[in-house]
Amino acid sequence: MRLSSFMSFLIAVPLLLRATESSYFRDVQPILNKNCTSCHQPASKSSGLDLTTYGGFKAGGKRGPAFVAGSPDESLAIKFMTGVLKPSMPFGAPVLAAKEIDTIRDWIKSGGKDDTPREVTSIEPTVYHQPPVITAVRFSPDGKLLAVSGNREILLHNADGSGLTKRLQGKADRILSIAFSADGNLMVAGGGTPARFGEIQFWDLREGKLLRTAEATSDTVFGASLSPDGTKVAVGCSDNTVRVFETSTGKELYKISSHENWVLATVFGIDSKRFVSVGRDRAAKLIDANAGQFLENVNQMRGELAAVARHPKKDEIVIGGEDRVPYLYMMDRARNMKVGEEATLVRKLDPQDGAIFALDWSPDGKHVAVAGAAPGVNIYDVDTGARIASCKGHTAGIYAVAFSPDGTRLASGGFDGQVRLYRAADCTLEKAFVPVPLAAQIAGNGGAQ
Ligand code: HEC
């Protein structure tokens, strides 16, 4: 008894001395962003829980609300973080510092209020105190630039990682996918601000100018892809639709509602007349891009799908997701094949060590790069299915992977906030860098631009 009252005294003193109440926006969300949102986010809601927004935190996951205002000890988030409920969170990582748990506890205790600013008032260059999670990387078709997602911006780097050349600021908090037109003049980015709006940005790459934007749904959009003829952009949405926009006007042409869950990635066929969309309903769906009509399912359904990439010269795709296996499929089913037959399956690659989040096909068609929850990129020979190299160095999950246009280089990025450039032939690490200027660096050298 005595010991425990002494202990509560020790705990109470710092609580009493703390000057201000915890703020959700200033204190709590950054802790969740750093430790939890790699698994609890719109694109992969472990146990149904999205911790990227106040709304998601409050709504909770499969077990119900993640916090109970006023009662930290009854709050699921606290119970999971302190080991009262198992598995301990963050899953597979050490428990948070007591100070961080206390911050969240205090905030819940004082009522668990949302103080997120409602409006983006101006577009100031984002100031980074830590490297942001990287969700998209893509090389420009001329091979000179690497576009990398930032917070409320896209960063253009020299393709060899030798420097940041431009910061392109937009309204969307997150950029989840980047695509280029074949001539490299147009860059399209898809993303948005979680639980507020989805946005597609159309950039003039040469001028670094935002040509137009299109908004869709009240949540981020996923897996934007541009048709090879440059006329259309397809995006996946959290309202289970795929939406297609006209590049020249930004106008929404149509939406398709044949998926039964979030649509996370899209890719067009060679002739731009059809595309495939994949999502959490486990389906890869072939869509007539002109008529906006569902044609058929490409795959046999196994796990939730998060990524799709196409062979550069023929209508063959690779898909991957929750069940960790990359599947190579023909987009088309011969007339005499029945739906559900696996005759369109070309090949399965090795099961990965974690769920698949990102795929790319090399420009010569010979290789496929696979990345995801396990912190490495595996490169496969598509003809033999043999793994030819494993790119190491990332310390956490990878959300984006891309081959350079000449196929010699591979870029990857993810939760650890570092872009890594590898020699694609053997995964030799050429460069690792944080793609954003960090606040400390700005103070030191007067800015990284
Ligand atoms: C590496 C992935 C990962 C990270 C990081 C992670 N979680 Fe989880 N979380 C999971 C998984 C997987 C489950 C489901 C566990 C189960 O049901 O067995 C889960 C479940 C939960 C649940 C229960 C949700 C429900 O209603 O079922 C809560 C609450 C939770 N996590 C909070 C957190 C918090 C807070 C953090 C950060 C401090 C965090 N998690 C970090 C993977 C993760």
Side-chain angles (χ1 to χ4, degrees), residues 31-32 35-40 46-47 49 51 60-64 66 76-77 80-81 86-87 89-92 96:
I31 297 174
L32 302 179
N35 301 288
C36 317
T37 56
S38 56
C39 304
H40 298 291
S46 285
S47 207
L49 177 63
L51 288 174
K62 287 183 187 153
R63 295 177 180 82
L76 282 177
F80 275 99
M81 281 191 285
K86 295 265 159 43
M89 295 291 143
F91 187 72
L96 302 194

Side-chain angles (χ1 to χ4, degrees), residues 145 154 156 166 168 179-181 183-189 201-212 247:
L145 295 171
I154 300 164
L156 297 181
K166 224 174 243 172
L168 304 178
F180 289 96
S181 62
D183 62 10
N185 290 329
L186 178 76
M187 180 173 72
V188 173
Q201 302 172 350
F202 300 84
W203 293 89
D204 177 325
L205 189 65
R206 308 253 172 271
E207 305 284 323
K209 205 176 99 201
L210 187 59
L211 297 171
R212 64 193 77 85
T247 310

Side-chain angles (χ1 to χ4, degrees), residues 126-167:
T126 308
V127 175
Y128 298 92
H129 297 282
Q130 61 189 40
V133 172
I134 297 166
T135 44
V137 296
R138 196 114 304 260
F139 288 95
S140 62
D142 63 6
K144 290 188 180 144
L145 295 171
L146 178 68
V148 183
S149 63
N151 293 348
R152 244 168 297 127
E153 65 179 331
I154 300 164
L155 301 118
L156 297 181
H157 280 264
N158 293 328
D160 60 1
S162 62
L164 176 63
T165 63
K166 224 174 243 172
R167 297 175 69 176

Side-chain angles (χ1 to χ4, degrees), residues 24-25 29 33 41-43 50-56 114 116-123 126 135 150-153 169-177 189-201 213-222 236-238 262:
Y24 169 76
F25 182 68
Q29 188 62 57
N33 286 348
Q41 49 144 320
D50 173 9
L51 288 174
T52 58
T53 62
Y54 176 85
D114 181 14
T116 311
R118 282 296 145 217
E119 285 307 317
V120 182
T121 44
S122 64
I123 302 182
T126 308
T135 44
N151 293 348
R152 244 168 297 127
E153 65 179 331
Q169 260 114 24
K171 184 167 150 216
D173 278 356
R174 286 158 198 240
I175 301 296
L176 300 182
S177 46
T193 296
R196 289 188 48 211
F197 63 90
E199 187 180 58
I200 300 117
Q201 302 172 350
T213 62
E215 286 204 9
T217 78
S218 53
D219 211 333
T220 34
V221 296
F222 307 99
C237 303
S238 64
W262 296 21

Side-chain angles (χ1 to χ4, degrees), residues 158-405:
N158 293 328
D160 60 1
S162 62
L164 176 63
T165 63
K166 224 174 243 172
R167 297 175 69 176
L168 304 178
Q169 260 114 24
K171 184 167 150 216
D173 278 356
R174 286 158 198 240
I175 301 296
L176 300 182
S177 46
I178 298 172
F180 289 96
S181 62
D183 62 10
N185 290 329
L186 178 76
M187 180 173 72
V188 173
T193 296
R196 289 188 48 211
F197 63 90
E199 187 180 58
I200 300 117
Q201 302 172 350
F202 300 84
W203 293 89
D204 177 325
L205 189 65
R206 308 253 172 271
E207 305 284 323
K209 205 176 99 201
L210 187 59
L211 297 171
R212 64 193 77 85
T213 62
E215 286 204 9
T217 78
S218 53
D219 211 333
T220 34
V221 296
F222 307 99
S225 67
L226 189 59
S227 60
D229 66 9
T231 60
K232 295 186 185 74
V233 174
V235 298
C237 303
S238 64
D239 64 357
N240 307 350
T241 63
V242 186
R243 291 167 194 249
V244 172
F245 295 82
E246 187 174 55
T247 310
S248 57
T249 59
K251 201 178 92 196
E252 185 176 314
L253 296 172
Y254 54 82
K255 64 181 177 199
I256 292 154
S257 307
S258 56
H259 281 277
E260 284 160 19
N261 206 326
W262 296 21
V263 183
L264 298 180
T266 63
V267 72
F268 279 86
I270 297 282
D271 65 4
S272 300
K273 289 187 181 144
R274 291 145 338 135
F275 65 85
V276 173
S277 53
V278 304
R280 299 180 62 186
D281 63 353
R282 306 178 294 149
K285 293 183 182 282
L286 185 65
I287 313 281
D288 180 322
N290 292 328
Q293 263 165 15
F294 166 70
L295 296 171
E296 61 185 3
N297 284 334
V298 177
N299 64 330
Q300 268 203 344
M301 298 189 203
R302 294 178 182 92
E304 293 187 7
L305 293 171
V308 61
R310 198 203 63 229
H311 187 291
K313 292 168 196 116
K314 55 183 173 183
D315 283 336
E316 218 170 279
I317 54 170
V318 55
I319 59 175
E322 189 185 41
D323 89 338
R324 306 174 175 202
V325 177
Y327 298 93
L328 277 59
Y329 276 99
M330 294 186 271
M331 260 169 65
D332 293 294
R333 188 181 303 279
R335 276 194 177 279
N336 55 3
M337 268 183 225
K338 289 203 193 74
V339 173
E341 259 180 41
E342 275 291 69
T344 50
L345 180 68
V346 180
R347 179 176 301 291
K348 289 203 280 194
L349 301 176
D350 295 344
Q352 307 294 299
D353 291 335
I356 296 166
F357 300 149
L359 294 162
D360 199 22
W361 209 308
S362 69
D364 63 3
K366 290 186 180 146
H367 302 132
V368 160
V370 186
V377 185
N378 289 323
I379 303 181
Y380 291 88
D381 180 313
V382 289
D383 291 332
T384 64
R387 188 165 79 193
I388 58 161
S390 291
C391 304
K392 301 201 161 58
H394 281 285
T395 58
I398 300 172
Y399 299 127
V401 63
F403 283 101
S404 64

